[in-house]
Every structure is written in C-alpha cells, then in structure tokens.
C-alpha cells in the first residue's frame, strides 16, 4: 500500500464562523457555461477504462446462477427494506457473534437524502487511486443484488457473494432465534458486507446508510469521517416531516471526534448537524466555506471542474474532468474529495493537497449507473433514478443543461410511498409529454393511479398510460421519432431505481 503524495502548501486563513455567514455563503452553482470539446477529450485520456464493472449481468454458469437465485429467494423471504423496526439491536448481535468484523478496518460513513451512491462511488475511486483496497456498500441496486457489495471498485463476484452468505447463515439463524424479530433483508446484507470486507481484507470501507442514520443497520461502525449529502424530504413517515427532523435522525452517524463533511443544506438541517457535531466534539467542514466548487463548465461527455480542498485557497485541484452530467454531480465530487482529504488527515491546519494526477485519473473514470445515464441513441434515451422532488429537480436541471433536446418525452414509474406529485411537478417544465407506467414490484404505484395525478400536473393531452414498462418505452421512443420536425427529441426514464433498472435490462444494458 502506498501513501498519498501530498505537497506542502501555505495555511489557509480561517473563515468567520458566525452562523449567518455560514448560511449566507453559497458556492456559485451556475457560472457561464461553455462547451470545451478539446479540453474534455484531452482530460479523458487520464482515465483509461471506466472504474470496474458497474452493473454486472447474471452469472453465465448455470449452477452459479441457480445458487445465487436461491440466496436471493432466501433473502427476499425476510422483512423488506420498507418494513423496519428502528433498532440496531439485531445487527449488533450479529456483529458480536461474527467477531465484530466491522472493526477490522477504518470507514467513511455516508448519509443524506440524495447523491449518496454517486458520492460513495467517487470516494471509492479516489481511495483506489491511492492504492488502497476498498469495500463499498450501497443501496438499492440497479439490476443485480451483487452491486451492493463492491471490492476494489467492482461488484463482488457471484461466487463470493454466495460463499459469504453461506458463511454467515448459521450465525444469522442463531441471532434470529434469540430476537423477537428475525434479521431483515437489509440487516443480513449489511452483515454480509462487513464480513466480506474483513475477509478481503480491505484498507477502508465506504458505507452508505440504508435509511436515516441513528438506527440504520450500517450504524454499528465507528467512522472517522461522516459525510452528509443534501437533505430533503423523503421517507417522511419514518424520518420526520421537516429537514430538521430528518437531519436529527441522520446526524446519528456522527461519532465522537469524527470529521463531518457537510454538503450544502437547508438552514434548519445545517443547524441540527452543527449542534450534533458540537455535542460529540466533531470537526465540521462545510461546502461553500471550508471546501467547494471554484468553477464548473459543461464539457463534452460531462463537465470540467476546479475544486477547492480542505486546505482552502492553497489547495485547489484544477482541470478535473467528471464524466457525469448535472451541477449536483459536481457538488457530489466536491464532497467526495473533501471526505478523502479528511480521511488522509488534510485540513485547514495541514494545508496540503493530494496528487493532482491521481485525482484527475480517478474522477475521469467515474461511472454512476442510472444517474443521467445515456443508454441509447437515435433517439437518445437517458435513465435517471430520481425518486423524490429534490432528485427530480436536480435531474431536470442536469438534463436541460447537458442536452439540447428539441422535445423530451418522459417515462415515469414510481413507488406508491413517494411524493409523486412533487416529483411530477419538478419534471413538468421539461417534459413535452409523459408516458406513465409501473415497474414489476409490489411497491410500484398503479399506472392508472399515477396517471390521475399526472393529468392534474400536465393536463390530459400530455399524458399517456402504458402499464407495461416495455410498452411504455416503445411508446415514448415512437413519440420521440414521430415527426421530422422533432429531430433531436429524447426520452428520459425516471421515477424509481427499480424502474430504471428494469428499463436498463429492456434496453439491452443488462
């Protein structure tokens, strides 16, 4: 394992910590945008091949596929991810009988409402660039359950996934017998991830919470770095009905003496996070204050960034090519870089910078499936897993900025427990027409029920109903192609990670 190669810089001046200034400070999100074709092509050469295999296909060996399906079926027989008993009692008991595998490596813990998985992927890529062995645990998956557990930037091999499950299964059954409720689907997967990371072994784990923070199954780790991506309203029946209440649950991942990397937040959410940090003597680095985006320009295939690290003006990283679309991904990149700097002990008192070539190479190889991902051309079909109003607004802004569609057709399939009206309202300004549909899960909102809300938002003449997702995709593509005057039309498939994953398979990307 090699050490990062910092270069000494002058200390940055300390910012004024008055809360009014913290709240008022705003990273410039929309500088004058320019297409920098030559520059982006040059920067892309830093990357080589994209990081790992982002979305694995089913195993080609019939016996392995059969065994994986058997594991998936056993896991599916447990409480699903939407049925919760808010406690870490069961997962703590499992960790105990497994010998506390989650304490075998340091970790970076990520919570927030939107951007967690993309940020986790970026953190993982940056750590890999400095030759650290990584484990990454994220949820939900786009297509394959094995995506949730990654080793060194690639999803765990099916054979290893099966082996890990079989290894911990006796201990899972032991805990099941001792508890009022059996371990849930998510709790067992979390136990598998922590065991697989210890077995690898990894140098560092990058862990995304499933929901909330305080009682989330992942919260049996003592991370030295806690990352909080933007908080907005989601899972309000379980986490709270205001950003402040939700922040209270999510602040539970902040441990004694940790460093907190705080993305830009609503005022009341930021207040809760800062209060929690004071209570546990944690150090806080705030986007727009201690770190952030210096400049951002649209480039072919992504965007070109200059990022400021935790050392302030003395630690700027220039000419960072990020092959993802949208201002929100640039902010995720700034947060990820700050998290990795914090992990390496870089801050205002140690104003150093990480090796710029390694940083450029890592960012240029980033992939984030189902996040403004182009999966087809003629017409262009884009997938985005936005499932709440804040995510939809970010996706709408990103697609408007990065694509010059003459006409955009939406394909929307949502879960029934989401703010569907808010999501549709966020997309209304950019969709010429919308095809409402549903995915194959029990959580999916009925297409006719979704259509009734869509008609209220879009008007009857802009809404088409196709309950089957394959029919919905065909209808949207036909609408995009139907007239020569609409040359340059596109399709955006959105509303749910499940909808996007199933569309990805139907469009031949699985």
């Amino acid at each position: 394992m090699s050490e990062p190669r910092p270069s000494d810089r002058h200390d940055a001046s300390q910012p004024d910590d008055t809360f009014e200034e913290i709240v008022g400070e705003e990273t410039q999100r929309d500088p004058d945008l320019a297409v920098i074709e030559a520059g982006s092509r040059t920067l892309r050469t830093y990357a080589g091949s994209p990081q790992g295999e982002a979305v694995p296909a089913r195993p080609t060996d019939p016996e392995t596929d059969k065994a994986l399906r058997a594991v998936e079926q056993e896991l599916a027989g447990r409480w699903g991810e939407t049925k919760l008993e808010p406690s870490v009692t069961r997962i703590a008991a499992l960790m105990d009988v497994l010998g506390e595998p989650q304490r075998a490596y340091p970790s970076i813990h990520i919570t927030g409402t939107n951007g967690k998985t993309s940020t986790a992927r970026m953190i993982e890529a940056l750590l890999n660039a400095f030759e650290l062995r990584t484990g990454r645990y994220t949820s939900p998956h786009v297509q394959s359950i094995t995506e949730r557990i990654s080793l060194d930037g690639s999803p765990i091999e099916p054979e290893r996934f099966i082996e890990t499950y079989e290894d911990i299964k006796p201990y899972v059954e032991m805990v099941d017998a001792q508890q009022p409720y059996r371990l849930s689907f998510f709790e067992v997967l979390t136990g598998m991830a922590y065991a697989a990371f210890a077995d690898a072994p990894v140098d560092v784990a990058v862990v995304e919470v499933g929901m909330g923070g305080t009682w989330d199954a992942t919260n049996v780790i003592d991370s030295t770095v806690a990352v909080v991506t933007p908080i907005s309203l989601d899972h309000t029946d379980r986490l709270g009905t205001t950003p402040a209440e939700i922040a209270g649950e999510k602040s539970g991942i902040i441990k004694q003496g940790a460093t907190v990397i705080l993305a830009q937040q609503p005022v009341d959410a930021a207040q809760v996070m800062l209060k929690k940090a004071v209570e546990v003597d944690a150090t806080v680095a705030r986007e727009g204050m201690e770190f952030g985006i210096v400049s951002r320009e649209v480039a072919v295939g992504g965007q070109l960034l200059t990022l400021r690290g935790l050392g302030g003006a003395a630690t700027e990283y220039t000419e960072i090519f990020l092959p993802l679309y949208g201002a929100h991904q640039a902010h995720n990149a700034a947060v990820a870089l700050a998290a990795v700097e914090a992990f390496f002990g870089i801050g205002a008192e140690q104003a150093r910078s990480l090796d710029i070539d390694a940083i450029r190479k890592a960012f240029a190889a980033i992939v984030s499936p189902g996040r403004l991902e182009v999966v087809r051309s003629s017409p262009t079909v884009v997938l985005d897993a936005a499932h709440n109003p804040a995510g939809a607004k970010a996706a709408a802004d990103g697609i408007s900025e990065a694509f010059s569609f003459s006409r955009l057709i939406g394909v929307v399939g949502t879960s029934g427990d989401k703010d569907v009206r808010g999501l549709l309202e966020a997309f209304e300004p950019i969709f010429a027409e919308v095809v409402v549909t549903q995915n194959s899960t029990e959580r999916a909102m009925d297409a006719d029920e979704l259509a009734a809300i869509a008609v209220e938002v879009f008007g009857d003449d802009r809404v088409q109903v196709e309950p089957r997702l394959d029919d919905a995709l065909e209808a949207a593509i036909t609408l995009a192609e139907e007239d020569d005057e609409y040359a340059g039309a596109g399709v955006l498939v959105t509303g749910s990670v499940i909808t996007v994953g199933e569309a990805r398979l139907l469009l031949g990307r699985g």
Side-chain angles (χ1 to χ4, degrees), residues 16 40-41 47 49 72 141-142 160 169 189 258 264 274 294 301 332 353 356 363 428 465 469 471 484 508:
D16 187 334
S40 65
R41 286 178 178 171
S49 301
E72 290 171 332
H141 56 274
V142 177
R160 195 165 189 174
K169 183 177 178 180
L189 274 175
Q264 292 177 339
L274 292 171
V294 176
N332 291 340
S353 61
I356 186 63
F363 274 125
E428 191 278 332
V465 185
L469 182 56
D471 292 337
D484 289 341

Side-chain angles (χ1 to χ4, degrees), residues 268-325:
D268 53 350
Q271 289 174 324
V272 171
M273 288 293 172
L274 292 171
K275 181 180 178 182
K276 173 69 174 185
V278 170
E279 290 173 354
V280 298
D281 196 29
T283 301
V284 179
R286 300 147 296 185
E287 184 185 4
M289 293 294 288
E290 285 80 12
F291 71 95
I293 301 171
V294 176
S295 66
R296 185 179 76 86
E297 298 175 319
V298 171
V300 173
Q303 49 196 308
L304 187 65
L305 310 175
T306 295
L307 303 177
R308 179 170 296 165
L310 295 178
T315 53
E316 288 190 359
Y317 300 83
T318 62
E319 296 185 322
I320 303 295
F321 177 69
L322 182 67
L324 302 176
Y325 301 109

Side-chain angles (χ1 to χ4, degrees), residues 14 48 114 125 144 161 163 177-178 187 222 237 268 379 386 389 468 483 503:
Q14 298 293 326
N114 292 305
S144 171
F161 184 91
E163 181 183 345
Q178 297 170 347
E187 287 169 331
D222 292 318
D237 56 330
D268 53 350
R468 287 172 51 107
D483 287 312

Side-chain angles (χ1 to χ4, degrees), residues 465-490:
V465 185
E466 295 290 350
R468 287 172 51 107
L469 182 56
D470 54 349
D471 292 337
L473 291 171
E474 183 178 352
I477 290 169
T478 300
L479 286 170
E481 293 176 329
E482 66 181 3
D483 287 312
D484 289 341
E485 67 179 293
Y486 295 131

